[in-house]
Amino acid sequence: QVQLMESGGGSVQAGGSLRLTCTVTEVTRTDYVLGWFRQFPGKEREGVAAIDHDDSTHYAESVKGRFKISQDFGRTTVYLQMNSLKPEDTAMYYCAADPSSTVVAGLARTAPRYWGQGTQVIVSS
């Protein structure tokens, strides 16, 4: 059973930075794509960034150049470094895992198989 746990959310002013951390358990190195989603109030979750076992990545257009996803070699921790934050980045952020890169990138109709509990990010203007 894959388990995901996020940390690192909080409040920051526009232009600031935050780093989210997702602790991952029970993932065999090549079995899953790991990533981050976010959810705005009243909206569906949307893909933010994804990373595969070979460190290939995918980003939503809205965060390209500002966010960076990374992982440690054992894939026990996934990070989302968020720079130049904007008020419109305010959302609940979720760590996700699925065998499909398309799913974790948020490009499929299917939701990822595994989710974390989420961590809140608030960006004030």
Side-chain angles (χ1 to χ4, degrees):
Q1 179 77 10
V2 174
Q3 294 184 333
L4 309 169
M5 182 175 293
E6 306 92 337
S7 62
S11 297
V12 65
Q13 289 194 328
S17 298
L18 282 174
R19 188 175 80 161
L20 305 183
T21 299
C22 175
T23 302
V24 183
T25 58
E26 302 299 329
V27 167
T28 302
R29 181 166 174 75
T30 59
D31 284 354
Y32 289 92
V33 180
L34 304 172
W36 292 91
F37 279 65
R38 64 186 179 185
Q39 187 170 25
F40 305 111
K43 302 287 187 180
E44 292 187 356
R45 294 180 190 181
E46 62 178 39
V48 175
I51 189 164
D52 210 334
H53 67 278
D54 60 357
D55 288 331
S56 58
T57 57
H58 179 274
Y59 294 94
E61 286 296 324
S62 59
V63 306
K64 278 184 179 178
R66 300 189 298 123
F67 291 12
K68 181 178 181 180
I69 189 170
S70 61
Q71 61 189 350
D72 67 349
F73 181 78
R75 309 196 84 199
T76 59
T77 309
V78 180
Y79 304 97
L80 185 68
Q81 178 67 43
M82 305 186 295
N83 299 323
S84 301
L85 282 161
K86 306 175 181 180
E88 52 264 42
D89 293 317
T90 295
M92 185 72 79
Y93 284 72
Y94 296 89
C95 187
D98 191 89
S100 166
S101 58
T102 303
V103 169
V104 181
L107 301 176
R109 294 185 179 184
T110 307
R113 188 174 300 179
Y114 299 103
W115 293 101
Q117 296 288 335
T119 185
Q120 180 71 49
V121 171
I122 299 172
V123 185
S124 58
S125 57

